[in-house]
């Protein structure tokens, strides 16, 4: 099994490009199933989950080919509607294929999705929405079949689930009539999916706290560019801040980074922007940040909670970070403690007493973003760290080793 070896203590310096967003390309790829023609996605990150999405399309009889960072999809010949169990279990985003398949073919078969283990991750909101739109749901031993022609309805989401909003919004594009989803996800990746579907002839309008989707008879071919990955970019900014470095990330702006920009400024980092690039200079000692709570967009993203915990482990003073989105996004905490971080858990809060330095340790990644937090800690630590199970991290970070190496970090895969 491969292991990441990181010799820490070198400040990260230099320039890298932000890759295309994992959480944007996955729903866009799945939504391409709605289209009886060719879709070209540029700025597509070459990460394991994007390859799995392409594999799903091919397993269903469609075409999906990468050429560097361009993904060309053609689902005109797609003729199967049961997603193979092996691919459903490989990643949670397999669920985003269900709505588009159901809407176009009137039938979809799938299995309980896999992905990062972050506690219970039910799919009840997706299923309830499809039922409301007229689908019949048949469940037998982990296998779920949805059948029926969809009609536009009003759906109120009790929680602004990213996945459920995206599934239902995509399916509603080919439903009969207008669908209104209240309390939808407003993540930039959800808006990017709406923009993409509109480019293909969809009729989606976002309002303050609702999204309206007028069903159309067909969607047509289009080319779209995947938005930059705010989570990836913020991960490298945290790594630069933790190592007292100075980096530029090209291809993203401070406003696209969202609230993490403000948080990094609170820690004492200088953050500026020039020509579609973000520059960060770390202070000699970071400030603690009290009262950070994860929440749906525009709140603090749960996908950055582990990385900010790693960073605040090195801040002066006490920080408190509370996880509200996932019940068990905490498996990085005992690993960070192995590097010398002083963190205690109380209910869903992490109380972090900043230390002066971290030390290299033998670590294990249990999920994607938790693994990224360990990379940050290891880069900042004195001495050598080993990170086991790095495949979790590669699921979401294109060219991780090349990018860190180009910034002067000492990282290799054994
Ligand atoms: C997406 C992101 C993931 C991110 C998460 C929250 C992608 C590919 N993944 O995941 O990186 O961490 O948003 O920002 O975009 N829930 C239910 N029932 C459902 C659906 C969700 O109870 O049917 C709960 C989940 O268990 C979780 C919370 O809602 O506690 C958030 O889930 P959701 O917003 O749906 O996240 P994902 O779409 O899975």
């Amino acid at each position: 099994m491969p292991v990441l070896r990181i010799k820490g203590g070198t400040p990260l310096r230099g320039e890298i490009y932000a890759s295309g967003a994992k959480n944007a390309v996955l729903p866009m790829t799945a939504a391409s199933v709605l289209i009886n023609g060719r879709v070209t996605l540029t700025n597509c990150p070459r990460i394991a989950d994007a390859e799995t999405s392409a594999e799903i399309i091919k397993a269903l009889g469609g075409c999906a080919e990468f050429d560097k960072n361009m993904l060309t999809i053609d689902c005109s010949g797609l003729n199967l509607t049961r997603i193979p169990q092996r691919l459903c279990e490989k990643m949670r985003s397999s669920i985003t294929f269900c709505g588009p398949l159901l809407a176009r073919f009137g039938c979809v078969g799938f299995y309980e999705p896999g992905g990062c283990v972050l506690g219970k991750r039910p799919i009840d909101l997706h299923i309830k929405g499809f039922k409301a739109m007229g689908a019949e749901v048949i469940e037998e031993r982990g296998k779920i079949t949805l059948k029926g022609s969809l009609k536009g309805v009003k759906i109120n989401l009790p929680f602004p689930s990213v996945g459920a909003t995206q599934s239902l919004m995509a399916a509603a594009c080919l439903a009969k009539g207008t669908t209104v989803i209240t309390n939808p996800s407003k993540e930039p990746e959800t808006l990017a999916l709406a923009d993409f579907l509109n480019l293909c002839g969809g009729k989606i309008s976002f309002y303050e706290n609702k999204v309206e989707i007028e069903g159309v008879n067909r969607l047509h071919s289009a080319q779209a560019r995947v938005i930059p990955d705010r989570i990836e970019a913020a991960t490298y900014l945290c790594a630069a801040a933790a190592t007292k470095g100075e980096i530029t990330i090209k291809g993203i702006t401070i406003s696209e980074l969202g609230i993490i920009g403000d948080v990094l400024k609170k820690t004492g980092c200088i953050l500026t922007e020039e020509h579609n690039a973000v520059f960060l200079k770390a202070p000699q000692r970071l400030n603690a940040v009290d009262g950070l709570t994860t929440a749906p967009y525009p709140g603090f993203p749960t996908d950055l909670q582990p990385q900010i915990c790693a960073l605040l482990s090195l801040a002066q003073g006490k920080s408190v970070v509370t996880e509200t989105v996932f019940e068990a996004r905490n498996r990085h905490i005992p690993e960070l403690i192995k590097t010398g971080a002083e963190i205690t858990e109380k209910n869903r809060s992490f109380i972090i007493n900043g230390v002066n330095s971290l030390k290299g340790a033998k670590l294990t990644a249990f999920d994607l973003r938790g693994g990224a937090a360990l990379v940050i800690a290891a880069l900042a630590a004195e001495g050598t760290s080993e990170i086991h199970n790095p495949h979790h991290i590669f699921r979401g970070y294109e060219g991780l080793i090349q990018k860190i190496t180009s910034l002067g970090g000492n990282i290799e895969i054994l």
Side-chain angles (χ1 to χ4, degrees):
M1 288 293 267
V3 174
L4 267 185
R5 186 160 69 193
I6 298 178
K7 281 190 197 141
T10 313
L12 295 188
R13 282 182 210 287
E15 283 182 6
I16 51 172
Y17 270 94
S19 290
K22 161 184 168 291
N23 287 355
V25 77
L26 299 182
M28 286 164 88
T29 307
S32 301
V33 161
L34 288 165
I35 297 149
N36 201 346
R38 176 192 279 224
V39 167
T40 309
L41 303 178
T42 58
N43 198 34
C44 187
R46 298 299 300 270
I47 49 173
D49 279 6
E51 311 271 352
T52 305
S53 291
E55 245 187 280
I56 292 179
I57 289 181
K58 287 196 262 191
L60 299 175
C63 300
E65 293 304 330
F66 278 99
D67 178 9
K68 300 201 175 83
N69 289 100
M70 187 167 86
L71 174 60
T72 307
I73 302 168
D74 194 334
C75 291
S76 354
L78 196 140
N79 53 6
L80 297 171
T81 57
R82 179 162 297 283
I83 308 171
Q85 186 164 10
R86 179 181 68 83
L87 297 173
C88 288
E89 287 169 355
K90 227 166 157 178
M91 64 167 191
R92 180 164 171 90
S93 288
S94 53
I95 181 76
T96 39
F97 278 87
C98 298
L101 284 168
L102 175 64
R104 181 163 159 212
F105 298 101
C107 181
V108 59
F110 63 103
Y111 299 81
E112 285 281 340
C116 283
V117 183
L118 306 171
K120 273 192 251 120
R121 292 184 83 177
I123 52 167
D124 56 313
L125 300 176
H126 301 244
I127 303 289
K128 269 187 204 150
F130 294 136
K131 264 190 182 165
M133 293 173 86
E136 182 195 348
V137 182
I138 306 152
E139 272 192 76
E140 39 184 346
R141 281 176 281 114
K143 193 166 89 180
I144 304 164
T145 306
L146 307 177
K147 277 186 189 163
S149 54
L150 302 182
K151 59 179 191 312
V153 286
K154 287 199 166 75
I155 299 170
N156 178 51
L157 291 175
F159 178 86
S161 156
V162 173
T165 305
Q166 295 175 350
S167 284
L168 299 170
M169 184 171 85
C173 283
L174 291 188
K176 210 170 168 52
T178 300
T179 302
V180 180
I181 307 173
T182 47
N183 197 25
S185 135
K186 298 185 200 89
E187 267 67 9
E189 294 76 16
T190 303
L191 301 188
L193 175 65
D195 288 345
F196 165 63
L197 287 166
N198 284 344
L199 208 60
C200 298
K203 290 191 174 164
I204 304 176
S205 315
F206 258 90
Y207 299 95
E208 178 73 14
N209 201 29
K210 69 172 183 180
V211 51
E212 259 183 41
I213 309 111
E214 208 183 301
V216 296
N217 288 332
R218 62 180 297 273
L219 295 171
H220 54 71
S221 296
Q223 171 162 342
R225 184 176 168 83
V226 178
I227 58 169
D229 196 322
R230 61 194 169 105
I231 306 296
E232 186 220 21
T235 301
Y236 290 113
L237 292 175
C238 287
T243 58
K244 302 191 175 86
E246 207 174 307
I247 67 167
T248 300
I249 306 197
K250 293 182 164 177
I252 193 159
T253 59
I254 291 181
S255 79
E256 285 171 319
L257 284 173
I259 194 170
I260 183 69
D262 300 328
V263 174
L264 286 168
K265 283 181 192 164
K266 279 189 192 158
T267 66
C269 291
I270 294 169
L271 204 63
T272 53
E273 181 183 311
E274 211 175 305
H275 307 306
N276 197 28
V278 174
F279 167 80
L280 176 138
K281 184 174 175 8
Q284 268 315 299
R285 189 76 206 266
L286 297 153
N287 303 322
V289 179
D290 197 10
L292 258 188
T293 301
T294 66
Y297 192 85
F300 189 82
T302 173
D303 280 357
L304 284 175
Q305 177 264 105
Q307 299 89 316
I308 204 75
C309 284
L311 181 66
L312 294 174
S313 295
L314 285 161
Q316 187 155 30
K318 184 175 101 175
S319 304
V320 180
V321 177
T322 304
E323 173 60 56
T324 69
V325 179
F326 290 110
E327 57 174 3
R329 196 164 218 176
N330 59 356
R331 296 190 71 187
H332 50 289
I333 300 294
E335 301 303 302
L336 290 175
I337 290 172
K338 288 181 192 165
T339 68
E342 288 182 13
I343 310 177
T344 49
E345 278 188 66
K346 197 169 175 202
N347 303 324
R348 285 186 173 194
S349 293
F350 310 120
I351 298 132
I352 306 167
N353 278 311
V355 293
N356 284 326
S357 61
L358 300 176
K359 57 182 191 308
K362 206 168 163 183
L363 306 167
T364 303
F366 293 105
D367 60 73
L368 165 58
R369 306 301 172 186
L374 304 184
V375 172
I376 294 171
L379 286 167
E382 288 163 10
T384 302
S385 297
E386 272 182 11
I387 304 179
H388 293 257
N389 289 348
H391 63 275
H392 286 298
I393 311 171
F394 299 137
R395 271 190 44 226
Y397 290 88
E398 178 185 51
L400 176 94
I401 295 179
Q402 294 89 320
K403 285 189 182 182
I404 293 177
T405 306
S406 79
L407 295 172
N410 194 326
I411 182 168
E412 59 183 337
I413 186 135
L414 305 178

